[in-house]
Amino acid sequence: MNLFRLAPKLEDLYSADESLVAESIKKCGFYLRKANQLKRIAQIVMEEWNGEIPSDMDKLMSLPGVGIKTASLVLNLSFNMDAICVDCHVHQISNRLGWVDTDKPEDTEKELKKILPKKFWITINELFVMWGQNVCTPISPKCSICPLAGRCPKIGEERTR
């Protein structure tokens, strides 16, 4: 069973048993914690916000488990608002390519907004997630197969744990 079959509407998620929510997202990492957070989010939205998802970054980020990336994604896809989803891949690759020089994803988001045309704000996340999982990996990036290697200021730089 998947989550959207179990709970196609927020009201369904609100009333669903947490163990069923967990089972429906079991393929995700940390599914027990995420199921609990989803239930808490549904409760907050239903009871405090009359069932309406807010179109406000700060309110979204006040929800359990919601960070800047998720809040940005909701604003962009649900409310057609301009937002960049900066996860670990976008943060890391933007820094490796020398587009930004930042320590935190929040700062990367601010800097990317200055240099990246709005039409690429959502696409950059989709592209860099795939790129970061397959080529420019966090540890031992595969620079030898990267078509950007000749332009990358961090070529060959490896990280260890």
Side-chain angles (χ1 to χ4, degrees), residues 126-152:
E126 296 168 351
L127 177 64
F128 278 8
V129 166
M130 180 184 65
W131 200 256
Q133 290 173 341
N134 296 291
V135 179
C136 197
T137 55
I139 298 172
S140 300
K142 299 171 183 144
C143 300
S144 63
I145 64 168
C146 180
L148 299 176
R151 297 175 184 228
C152 181

Side-chain angles (χ1 to χ4, degrees), residues 20-55:
L20 291 175
V21 174
E23 186 63 33
S24 73
I25 62 169
K26 200 168 188 170
K27 291 181 181 179
C28 297
F30 307 104
Y31 68 95
L32 294 173
R33 180 172 27 162
K34 288 178 182 177
N36 178 267
Q37 291 171 334
L38 286 168
K39 288 291 295 176
R40 289 174 46 214
I41 289 170
Q43 180 181 6
I44 292 166
V45 172
M46 293 299 295
E47 295 177 2
E48 296 179 24
W49 298 335
N50 298 316
E52 295 293 322
I53 305 290
S55 61

